[in-house]
Amino acid sequence: MHENLAIYTKLGWEEYDRAEQDGFRRVFMRKRIDPRPAGTPTE
């Protein structure tokens, strides 16, 4: 599984929590997105 975490990290995902659910260890990840519509100029 640690190989997968490295791949997701390289793709811009960040780990924000680890927990056990229903007997399984889980890693929770999220990816921040830009809320501006595509094509909107940046400053």
Side-chain angles (χ1 to χ4, degrees), residues 2-5 10-11 13 15 17 23-24 28 31 34 37:
H2 64 278
E3 296 93 352
N4 294 345
L5 295 176
K10 287 180 183 178
L11 293 173
W13 292 83
E15 180 181 329
D17 196 16
F24 295 97
F28 296 92
K31 188 170 187 178
D34 191 346

Side-chain angles (χ1 to χ4, degrees), residues 1 3 5 8-9 16 22 31-33 36-37 41 43:
M1 179 62 180
E3 296 93 352
L5 295 176
Y8 280 103
T9 301
Y16 70 91
D22 302 320
K31 188 170 187 178
R32 306 257 180 197
I33 58 170
R36 293 173 293 184
E43 297 169 53

Side-chain angles (χ1 to χ4, degrees), residues 1 18-28:
M1 179 62 180
R18 287 182 183 232
E20 188 169 318
Q21 290 182 334
D22 302 320
F24 295 97
R25 291 180 292 176
R26 308 272 188 198
V27 177
F28 296 92

